[in-house]
Amino acid sequence: MSTPSSAPAPIPFIDLAAQRTRLGPKVDEVVLDVLQSCRFINGPQVGELEEKLAAFAGSRFAVSCSSGTDALALILMAWELKPGDAVFCPAFTFCATAEVVPWVGATPVFVDVKADTFNMDPESLELAIAKAQELGLNPKVVIPVDLFGQPADYDALLPIAEKHGLKVLCDTAQGFGGTWNNKRTGSIGHATATSFFPAKPLGCYGDGGAIFTDDEELAKVLKSLREHGQGVDRYQNVRIGMTARLDTVQAAVLLEKLAIFEEEIAARERIARRYNEALADVAEVPAVDSRAASVWAQYTLKLPAGVRDELAQKLGAEGVPTAVYYRAPMHHQPAYREFPTAAERLPVAEDLCAQVISLPMHAYLDEATQDRIIAAVRRALGK
Ligand SMILES: *Cc1c(COP(=O)(O)O)cnc(C)c1O
């Protein structure tokens, strides 16, 4: 019989400590530099990071900010969304995608997702636009989400947006580093928001985010909005803004992390492929569109409802952590129930909430640990 002391060590779901080891003393040094410079806000690292982020994404401008949520909100503020405007959001996403819409007085309208990629369903978007018009709302913005790291189907979504005069705000909080038709996210819609929350593929050591755009005027307005709507200098306020800057310490950390990000993306891809090969016969493994490259923010299996919960329980008992993103679709959340939906039911989003389960996924998952996870999954599913 095994005793607690002989039980294998619990596996972290995302191992930020392993990444810190990989980065070595360099991160500590650059943080110390900021502390010694005392330029905690708007230090030179912020501008340097913005240049490197724009180059990485292939966009003309990158505007850093305080979080992924604020990145989304700043864009809606810059586009002057107002009451009566409709913003189309997937029903299967993290709440922040839709949360910012009521902030500017506009109405989120929930759209169903596709059963294979879990990303926004173009047919449901068409229905949602018609529904908004029927309700007397003005369709203004669509927010496709690059869920779990995989870019949404932009070949289908962009023409629909264009036909209806919608701006496209890409939420790549989970997808930064991924590509669609070999273009990095950040270079696809009218504007893109990302997050540097520590658990995202590119994370900092606190909260942070960024906006990407090719629109010079938009970039200018965003920079003003993140500094209280400042005009020629900080003593002139030309619009209602907020405090939404990325601080210098986080920019310094991100510069170090961005330098190894490509290497980490390759590792994530390798690990995802290993999972696919080992689990395709026991569960529905992630489907990646042939035009997309996922950055694997999550590695998510789909199982029949019921089997999923049993698997989570069995793995937990073996020290293998799992997560369920998401347990409820947005339109069933108490705070969002009153907002319109593309149709009476959004069946795919609703079903997925009972079927999905995410396994440990990060760039430093070694083969022995991954094999332990794979064996536990196969055992739990009776294979
Ligand atoms: C994490 C996340 C956000 C919000 O980012 P924060 O930096 O935590 O504010 C927005 N959208 C999606 C899809 C996310 O996963």
Side-chain angles (χ1 to χ4, degrees):
M1 220 182 91
S2 72
T3 60
S5 62
S6 70
I11 296 167
F13 189 68
I14 292 179
D15 195 348
L16 293 173
Q19 189 197 45
R20 239 178 88 71
T21 306
R22 157 73 180 85
L23 288 162
K26 197 74 220 285
V27 174
D28 305 49
E29 284 163 23
V30 298
V31 169
L32 196 59
D33 287 345
V34 177
L35 301 189
Q36 275 160 352
S37 77
C38 288
R39 297 187 63 183
F40 302 119
I41 298 292
N42 292 344
Q45 292 88 340
V46 176
E48 189 187 334
L49 175 70
E50 288 176 335
E51 274 175 32
K52 290 195 169 150
L53 285 173
F56 182 91
S59 72
R60 280 184 72 205
F61 304 98
V63 178
S64 63
C65 65
S66 40
S67 72
T69 306
D70 288 344
L72 292 162
L74 286 163
I75 296 165
L76 297 185
M77 288 167 76
W79 285 341
E80 299 180 1
L81 272 272
K82 57 185 189 303
D85 291 344
V87 178
F88 304 94
C89 307
F92 191 63
T93 183
F94 180 63
C95 65
T97 309
E99 183 180 27
V100 296
V101 178
W103 288 9
V104 294
T107 303
V109 180
F110 293 109
V111 179
D112 209 353
V113 296
K114 294 177 40 159
D116 51 357
T117 61
F118 313 155
N119 279 328
M120 187 180 273
D121 179 350
E123 283 176 33
S124 182
L125 174 61
E126 290 273 22
L127 292 176
I129 293 168
K131 183 59 178 261
Q133 284 163 337
E134 203 182 295
L135 294 170
L137 298 167
N138 304 310
K140 282 287 169 66
V141 176
V142 55
I143 312 185
V145 173
D146 302 331
L147 201 76
F148 302 156
Q150 173 169 203
D153 181 354
Y154 292 105
D155 287 0
L157 296 171
L158 295 179
I160 296 172
E162 180 154 7
K163 185 171 80 185
H164 294 278
L166 305 181
K167 287 227 153 75
V168 180
L169 195 184
C170 307
D171 179 347
T172 203
Q174 300 179 15
F176 188 60
T179 62
W180 180 258
N181 289 332
N182 295 314
K183 282 178 73 173
R184 280 248 159 84
T185 67
S187 66
I188 297 169
H190 295 101
T192 298
T194 198
S195 164
F196 301 127
F197 182 78
K200 308 287 183 182
L202 179 63
C204 59
Y205 289 159
D207 281 308
I211 297 158
F212 300 89
T213 185
D214 286 343
D215 180 341
E216 187 165 16
E217 179 58 24
L218 176 63
K220 212 182 88 196
V221 173
L222 291 167
K223 285 185 177 181
S224 162
L225 284 170
R226 74 177 175 186
E227 303 243 20
H228 303 290
Q230 75 173 28
V232 287
D233 60 31
R234 78 172 82 152
Y235 304 104
Q236 188 196 39
N237 310 109
V238 296
R239 53 178 68 78
I240 307 294
M242 58 199 240
T243 304
R245 295 167 298 240
L246 181 76
D247 66 69
T248 316
V249 168
Q250 301 308 336
V253 169
L254 282 164
L255 279 167
E256 294 310 309
K257 292 215 192 184
L258 186 59
I260 61 162
F261 191 36
E262 301 257 20
E263 192 184 293
E264 293 185 337
I265 293 170
R268 286 174 174 277
E269 177 65 26
R270 199 164 59 239
I271 291 159
R273 278 174 199 259
R274 269 189 109 238
Y275 269 142
N276 283 347
E277 279 158 26
L279 297 173
D281 64 326
V282 296
E284 194 175 324
V285 297
V288 179
D289 189 290
S290 59
R291 295 159 291 181
S294 177
V295 67
W296 301 103
Q298 302 295 339
Y299 182 86
T300 305
L301 298 174
K302 211 167 118 185
L303 289 159
V307 177
R308 189 272 309 272
D309 293 321
E310 212 180 299
L311 176 65
Q313 203 185 12
K314 285 183 177 166
L315 292 179
E318 292 201 41
V320 175
T322 58
V324 172
Y325 302 118
Y326 297 92
R327 281 188 188 277
M330 287 300 296
H331 61 293
H332 288 178
Q333 290 287 358
Y336 296 88
R337 250 177 228 156
E338 305 303 319
F339 293 117
T341 51
E344 201 171 324
R345 285 201 58 213
L346 303 179
V348 179
E350 289 163 21
D351 287 351
L352 283 175
C353 292
Q355 297 169 332
V356 291
I357 182 167
S358 300
L359 301 180
M361 179 74 208
H362 57 86
Y364 302 91
L365 186 62
D366 61 76
E367 291 196 357
T369 308
Q370 192 180 13
D371 287 343
R372 208 182 119 198
I373 297 164
I374 289 165
V377 172
R378 295 189 66 89
R379 211 160 36 241
L381 294 174
K383 300 293 159 102

